[in-house]
Amino acid sequence: MTRFPEDLEARLRAAAPAGIDFSAATDSHGVTSAWVALADKDELKAVGEVMARLGARLSLITGSQTPPPPEVEDEEEEEAEEGETAEAAEKPVPMTFGGTPMDGTAYEITYSFDLVGDTVTVIAYAPQGGSVESLTSLFRTADWPEREIMETYNLRIENHPDPRRLFLDKSIEPAVMERLIPFSTLTNASSTTALWEKVMESAKAKEASES
Amino acid sequence: MSSAVTTPGKSVGKSNYTIPVGPLHVALEEPMYFRIDVSGETVNAVEINAGHVHRGIEYLATKRSLNQNIVLTERICSLCSNSHPEAFAMAAETIAGLTVPERGQYLRVIAGEVKRLASNLFNVAILTHLVGYESMFMHIMQVRETAQDIKEGVFGNRMDLGAMCIGGVRYDLDEETIGILTAGLDKIEPEVAEIVKTFKTNGSILRRTKEIGVLAKEDAIACGVVGPVARGSGVDYDVRREAPYHVYDRMPLEVRTFDDGDVWSRAMIRLHEAQNAIAIIRSCLKELPGGAVNLGTKLDIPPGHAVAKAEAPRGELIYYLKTNDTEQPERLKWRVPTFMNWDALGLMLRNAKVADIAIIVNSIDPCISCTER
């Protein structure tokens, strides 16, 4: 028994004329989980408005990047990139529903809404360096998750009321989730160079006094 | 600011200050920095600066296999450590279409409710400490210590139970451990009833918690708060009832709400849920069926995506898992109950007295390592 309004799919389709890919499944406890992929990310706000009118709670926003399709001949591929770009471009890149190429750099942003226990997850796709509209004006709970996405991915959130860094310091380069960070670097967050700077300074001072 | 004689930029009789609370502060167990603008004794505005314990666990999770992530997610938070691998395993099971054996589902409920009991007692203990009622603090911690003994006796650990795995649980109960569990509950149950009585009658507690740090119901809904904070403000939502999982639909679950939205209401919800946890564990033990506790170790999780929710001691914990052809998750993301509470905290602290700041911060049962990951 789902607690969605019966015409949920129709309402979402009306809000997103470019098209949606809708699917829903109900588990043995009667809890329904629906997935709504948007063909056009610019219709996200309209879909958000439908959910807000239904009294949904925006409970989770996830930013992610689908890795590139596996490359069969890795080494040759690298060589080809230099000279034979035309040939490389011919390789078919998998497309999302709606036609965003999933080349390993595009983003998939999922918005999970709670409707009295049931879940509706809306998926928007954006190309590398692209942007999606902020939902903070509709849902207060979008504020922090959107700030977190902005600091971890090279993705812009348009019209965010407070686009400052959330957890990461300004000195840290952006898009941390898009870079390979060695484990030693990742876990070494608490150490500083303060000690070595002191040692070097005193060594310099000693050198200066001797000369 | 209402007076006509007030000159802009000049305070009359009162002084405006900005006081820092944290990142390291006696009232906080974990680092968070609050910049609090006060006018005399009253809080005007709060600015929260986070990120002191950001560890990049979401990044790390994508470099580990699904089974390794059971271990990793348990270490995100200490007080709701069990709920993390629980919700994560539920997401993986949804993708693979696995059904946990009945006995495993009961054992999952027992592990979750033992953690809830200990976690909620810990929070109300800290509240009495902040109120200045030290003997009560010692007493509740002693009661909670019995819950710790249960964890150590049954699971072998005092904090991280290591109970969950994809497809079920990694522990089983026998006569001896059921004995430890029931003896512990028998000891805790009357004690918690006494604590509830004290919370209802004791002047020191009532004076410092009633009508303090109020969060109105509309604000609770707007901020999207969950768990005891939401229920203390009249939002009648509990994942165990709204989106039942395991065998919660067969349990004597009681979801209670209060309309006042103050520190006292949140504490009373936590105490009631500690009592209800005992009733749920007893019911599980009574109905506990035989059979396997998990589906074995050779499980295949196909590519797919899923969202799973569980009611952690602090409220709804939600996991998003996306898998592909590799052993590692393509993306693993979670949102903890405390995440929205920080926003609500700004509303609770508005016009609060400086002396109440620590009590109000504690009343959201903050978990900072959870928030920042």
Side-chain angles (χ1 to χ4, degrees), chain A residues 3 29 35 57 59-63 66-67 108 114 117 119 140-141 144 148 153 166-167 179-181, chain B residues 51 54 59 222-223 226 237 242-244 246 249 305 309 316 320 322 330-331 333 335 339 343 372-373:
Chain A
R3 287 153 285 190
H29 290 287
W35 297 83
R57 171 167 59 89
S59 53
L60 171 74
I61 307 180
T62 309
T66 302
E108 182 182 311
D114 181 284
T119 310
R140 219 181 142 121
T141 47
W144 275 30
E148 205 182 339
Y153 292 100
L166 178 62
F167 294 134
R179 279 184 278 132
L180 177 70
I181 301 170
Chain B
H54 190 279
Y59 182 90
C223 294
V226 290
Y237 185 96
E242 254 63 48
H246 308 334
D249 44 354
H305 56 190
K309 299 181 222 182
E316 179 203 64
Y320 168 84
K322 190 173 182 207
E330 189 176 306
R331 184 76 166 96
K333 168 91 184 168
R335 195 234 61 228
F339 202 83
D343 184 20
E372 302 184 354
R373 292 149 279 136

Side-chain angles (χ1 to χ4, degrees), chain B residues 324-336:
Chain B
N324 53 23
D325 290 319
T326 65
E327 273 188 25
Q328 292 81 24
E330 189 176 306
R331 184 76 166 96
L332 182 60
K333 168 91 184 168
W334 54 93
R335 195 234 61 228
V336 300

Side-chain angles (χ1 to χ4, degrees), chain B residues 209-262:
Chain B
T209 59
K210 276 272 189 187
E211 287 163 46
I212 300 292
V214 174
L215 180 70
K217 186 175 177 180
E218 315 84 75
D219 292 334
I221 293 171
C223 294
V225 293
V226 290
V229 175
R231 294 190 282 275
S233 288
V235 179
D236 194 11
Y237 185 96
D238 189 312
V239 182
R240 294 172 294 172
R241 187 189 64 196
E242 254 63 48
Y245 53 99
H246 308 334
V247 286
Y248 274 112
D249 44 354
R250 301 177 212 166
M251 291 294 131
L253 174 71
E254 270 180 44
V255 182
R256 197 170 283 184
T257 58
F258 281 99
D259 293 328
D260 299 349
D262 54 7

Side-chain angles (χ1 to χ4, degrees), chain A residues 12 14-17 42-51 53 135 138:
Chain A
L12 293 172
D42 295 333
E43 289 169 354
L44 174 69
K45 185 113 189 225
V47 167
E49 277 163 10
V50 171
M51 298 310 293
R53 273 200 298 277
L135 292 188
L138 295 171

Side-chain angles (χ1 to χ4, degrees), chain A residues 8-162:
Chain A
L8 176 70
E9 190 181 342
R11 286 197 211 192
L12 293 172
R13 284 196 189 282
I20 57 168
D21 183 7
F22 185 93
S23 65
T26 305
D27 71 9
S28 58
H29 290 287
V31 183
T32 308
S33 190
W35 297 83
V36 183
L38 300 180
D40 183 356
K41 66 174 175 66
D42 295 333
E43 289 169 354
L44 174 69
K45 185 113 189 225
V47 167
E49 277 163 10
V50 171
M51 298 310 293
R53 273 200 298 277
L54 289 171
R57 171 167 59 89
L58 178 55
S59 53
L60 171 74
I61 307 180
T62 309
S64 69
Q65 262 183 323
T66 302
E71 285 171 29
V72 193
E73 291 152 278
D74 229 342
E75 285 169 29
E76 281 181 35
E77 191 69 29
E78 272 173 32
E79 282 169 28
E81 265 176 33
E82 308 253 335
E84 301 160 63
T85 37
E87 200 190 303
E90 269 172 40
K91 270 189 121 190
V93 173
M95 296 281 190
T96 67
F97 168 76
T100 308
M102 295 311 265
D103 52 1
T105 62
Y107 303 102
E108 182 182 311
I109 313 105
T110 64
Y111 299 79
S112 297
F113 296 91
D114 181 284
L115 265 175
V116 222
D118 288 339
T119 310
V120 181
T121 304
V122 176
I123 309 174
Y125 300 96
Q128 168 65 230
S131 67
V132 288
E133 186 71 19
S134 168
L135 292 188
T136 305
S137 58
L138 295 171
F139 301 93
R140 219 181 142 121
T141 47
D143 187 339
W144 275 30
E146 286 180 344
R147 279 170 71 184
E148 205 182 339
I149 287 175
M150 279 189 277
E151 68 185 7
T152 47
Y153 292 100
N154 185 24
L155 176 72
R156 274 173 300 124
I157 308 280
E158 299 286 354
N159 301 320
H160 192 284
D162 181 21

